[in-house]
Amino acid sequence: ISHRISGIFLSFGLLAMFVFVFLLAIGQDYYALWQYFSNSLIGEVILMGWVLALFFHMFNGIRHLFWDYGLGLSLSVSKWSGLFVCFATIIISILIGIISLGLIL
């Protein structure tokens, strides 16, 4: 169920990206609204949540691909692969957050 919930959050993130492109296309003054939103605390939390949903959905989708081939269906492997998905999601999302802040590279 968490895979489907992350897909729903990705849909909302897609709408946000549409608004971003739309504001960028209609002019610099309107793009300033996007910058004001995305640089606020609530904007950063929403965008980081979208990044978390993106990576969780991606890693869990890969996990589901293995399940489609009959790999990793035992209870113990399923438990550990689920923990790996959560761990990888957090690590990669933190790295993307650090890179977006300009602290690396």
Side-chain angles (χ1 to χ4, degrees):
I1 191 76
S2 58
H3 185 72
R4 292 181 181 177
I5 291 170
S6 66
I8 291 169
F9 285 127
L10 287 177
S11 299
F12 292 134
L14 182 64
L15 289 174
M17 291 302 111
F18 172 76
V19 170
F20 164 70
V21 171
F22 179 74
L23 291 175
L24 186 61
I26 62 175
Q28 185 176 1
D29 293 336
Y30 293 101
Y31 178 67
L33 290 172
W34 175 263
Q35 286 182 319
Y36 180 75
F37 165 73
S38 65
N39 290 330
S40 70
L41 179 61
I42 188 72
E44 288 180 359
V45 168
I46 289 171
L47 291 174
M48 194 62 193
W50 183 67
V51 169
L52 279 165
L54 178 70
F55 285 113
F56 180 81
H57 197 77
M58 181 187 72
F59 289 132
N60 209 28
I62 293 168
R63 180 180 177 215
H64 278 261
L65 284 174
F66 281 104
W67 286 353
D68 288 342
Y69 286 102
L71 302 171
L73 292 175
S74 70
L75 190 58
S76 64
V77 173
S78 179
K79 175 185 147 190
W80 287 108
S81 64
L83 290 172
F84 175 77
V85 164
C86 294
F87 179 73
T89 298
I90 291 169
I91 295 299
I92 298 297
S93 297
I94 288 172
L95 286 175
I96 292 297
I98 290 171
I99 290 170
S100 71
L101 291 175
L103 300 177
I104 295 179
L105 301 176

